[in-house]
Amino acid sequence: MLRVIHSFDIKNGVEEIPFIEWLDGRLDEITKRFGCLERKTWVFIDGIHGDYESGKQEKRPRYLNEAFWPSQKNADQFREWLMSDEAKSFRQKWFTSVANHTVLRYVEVPLNGPVTDD
């Protein structure tokens, strides 16, 4: 299983709630076509940089958009669609409305073998 997280802030001037509702609705609809198992959007509360004793609070992106994929192939197919001409208007609205965007991709750690990306 592959877990993909988009972390981001919403740009000034973009209406937060309507934008998140639009993004969630569209991603729910589109990612299912590519086999996404589950999606959620989380609001970041707080965190520290460092350990619990001496760590410092650090500003992080407010939103975490999480998707679980059965395989990297499924996630890659969604990414190919996202970069296609068909997805251009969706992509433009999404990425012109957010700032501090990062994509993180995770796989489960196998207990009996090396960690790889496949």
Side-chain angles (χ1 to χ4, degrees), residues 2 6 63 75 101:
L2 178 71
H6 291 257
Y63 287 96
H101 178 260

Side-chain angles (χ1 to χ4, degrees), residues 33-46:
R33 295 188 337 218
F34 296 95
C36 184
L37 301 171
E38 183 180 0
R39 279 196 59 269
K40 291 184 181 184
T41 296
W42 300 86
V43 175
F44 182 75
I45 297 173
D46 63 13

Side-chain angles (χ1 to χ4, degrees), residues 1-113:
M1 178 170 319
L2 178 71
R3 178 181 181 198
V4 178
I5 297 175
H6 291 257
S7 66
F8 59 91
D9 288 315
I10 296 176
K11 288 183 179 178
N12 289 334
V14 175
E15 293 185 53
E16 194 169 354
I17 300 303
F19 173 74
I20 292 298
E21 289 174 349
W22 170 83
L23 183 61
D24 270 350
R26 292 293 290 144
L27 286 173
D28 281 346
E29 172 192 337
I30 296 163
T31 58
K32 284 179 186 174
R33 295 188 337 218
F34 296 95
C36 184
L37 301 171
E38 183 180 0
R39 279 196 59 269
K40 291 184 181 184
T41 296
W42 300 86
V43 175
F44 182 75
I45 297 173
D46 63 13
I48 60 170
H49 182 78
D51 61 34
Y52 284 104
E53 293 176 356
S54 60
K56 305 284 189 234
Q57 290 241 338
E58 189 172 275
K59 183 170 173 16
R60 307 274 170 99
R62 178 171 168 81
Y63 287 96
L64 301 170
N65 189 298
E66 174 181 56
F68 292 92
W69 298 92
S71 71
Q72 182 158 346
K73 178 182 175 185
N74 295 85
D76 288 345
Q77 288 171 338
F78 169 71
R79 185 182 285 188
E80 286 174 26
W81 175 85
L82 187 59
M83 298 306 298
S84 72
D85 286 341
E86 178 186 353
K88 186 176 182 177
S89 64
F90 170 73
R91 186 175 65 241
Q92 287 177 332
K93 182 171 181 176
W94 181 2
F95 294 110
T96 59
S97 300
V98 301
N100 303 324
H101 178 260
T102 300
V103 179
L104 307 168
R105 294 164 43 109
Y106 298 88
V107 295
E108 292 181 70
V109 176
L111 299 178
N112 57 358

